[in-house]
Each structure stands twice: as structure tokens, then as C-alpha cells.
Amino acid sequence: MGVTTMETGEWAAVTPASCEDDALKLRDRLRQELEGAADVASGTALGDVLLLALEGALRGGPFDRVIVCILDADRGRLVARSGLGDGIEALLPHFDFPMNIRGGPVVTATQQRAPIYLPNDRTMNAIEARWAGTLRVAQFGVFPIVVAGKIVGCLYVDRAMDG
């Protein structure tokens, strides 16, 4: 309700600054956990690192859903491996893309090897807007995963139109 109780029984309003501080602390903690797990010396399995990345993006960012996509063994398809968020089970089947010009906006963004969040970074082009509309997505981001100079996948995030 926007207030916290004190031991004396008094009520004090929660200040937005403290909420923002808590969110920043959470993001920092999640980032540190991910960095620690991603360190080769930690011995953390890849699946666990990916799960930490998904959790960090969902809890630490303003996103409704997050998906990690990995290239298949032939490097010909970018396929959803796991995801978290509202309605994720319905969304995952849509994340199986050929790694060519027909792969759509997620593949194009992944191949550029630079993170992008639309429409914040730039206005969506017609193909991106049409694709986002079919998934009822107001905003989406693609964060390529590059290991030893090779693209291995991406982290996809979005905000739903109804969210």
C-alpha cells in the first residue's frame, strides 16, 4: 500500500528513491552472481549459467519474458532453449529461426553481434514491427551471445502489448 510499519506502530511512506535503490541493488547482485557463474574457474554448467542469465534479465529488468536461444549443432538454426515469464510456453514454439535472411529480426540482430532494444535504440522497421505485432510485443531486445569470437546464441527479452 506504499507504507511500511515501524516498531512503534507509526507508519511512514515508502519513498521512490528507496524502491529505486532496492532495484539497483537487486540488479547488481544478480549481475555479480551471473559473472561469478560465467567464470570458467567456477565450474558452473552452461545450463545453470543460462538460467542465471534468464533470471537476472527477468527480475533485474523491466521485461515480461526472456528467452535464451542457441544455435543448433549444424549452426543452421537459432532455437529457443529455455525461457521465463508470462505466457512463455505459448511463445517458445515461435523461436525456431533459420540462420539466413528468412530468419527475421531476431536472427538479423544476433548476426550483427551488438545488443539492440527496439524501439528505444531506434524505430522499428516494417519487418520488425510486423513480427512484433504477430507476437503482441510492444518492445523487444536481442543480446547476442558470442564466445571466442563465434555467435552461439542470443538472449531475447520483450514487453507485451497488454503488459
Side-chain angles (χ1 to χ4, degrees):
M1 295 237 240
V3 295
T4 58
T5 183
M6 311 283 243
E7 287 182 15
T8 62
E10 297 173 351
W11 294 84
V14 174
T15 61
S18 69
C19 293
E20 290 173 12
D21 289 345
D22 290 345
L24 290 174
K25 287 176 186 174
L26 173 64
R27 283 186 212 141
D28 191 46
R29 183 179 60 79
L30 292 169
R31 182 187 51 78
Q32 288 174 356
E33 287 177 12
L34 180 58
E35 286 176 355
D39 184 359
V40 176
S42 74
T44 306
L46 177 61
D48 294 337
V49 173
L50 294 175
L51 186 57
L52 280 170
L54 287 172
E55 179 190 9
L58 186 63
R59 291 182 59 209
F63 309 117
D64 295 321
R65 298 173 291 220
V66 296
I67 298 173
V68 65
C69 298
I70 302 294
L71 285 176
D72 67 0
D74 297 334
R75 302 183 61 79
R77 299 196 74 76
L78 184 65
V79 182
R81 176 173 173 154
S82 186
L84 296 174
D86 297 331
I88 198 66
E89 294 304 320
L91 189 61
L92 286 177
H94 295 279
F95 281 72
D96 183 352
F97 309 108
M99 283 298 286
N100 59 36
I101 196 161
R102 295 178 189 222
V106 175
V107 169
T108 301
T110 300
Q111 289 175 330
Q112 291 175 356
R113 298 174 180 251
I116 189 165
Y117 193 76
L118 301 175
N120 291 9
D121 291 340
R122 63 169 170 75
T123 305
M124 288 188 207
N125 64 34
I127 294 170
E128 293 161 342
R130 187 172 37 252
W131 181 81
T134 62
L135 296 180
R136 300 207 31 82
V137 170
Q139 303 172 347
F140 71 93
V142 178
F143 302 86
I145 302 171
V146 180
V147 176
K150 293 184 180 181
I151 297 169
V152 296
C154 71
L155 184 66
Y156 167 88
V157 299
D158 73 21
R159 301 213 47 198
M161 285 182 184
D162 343 344

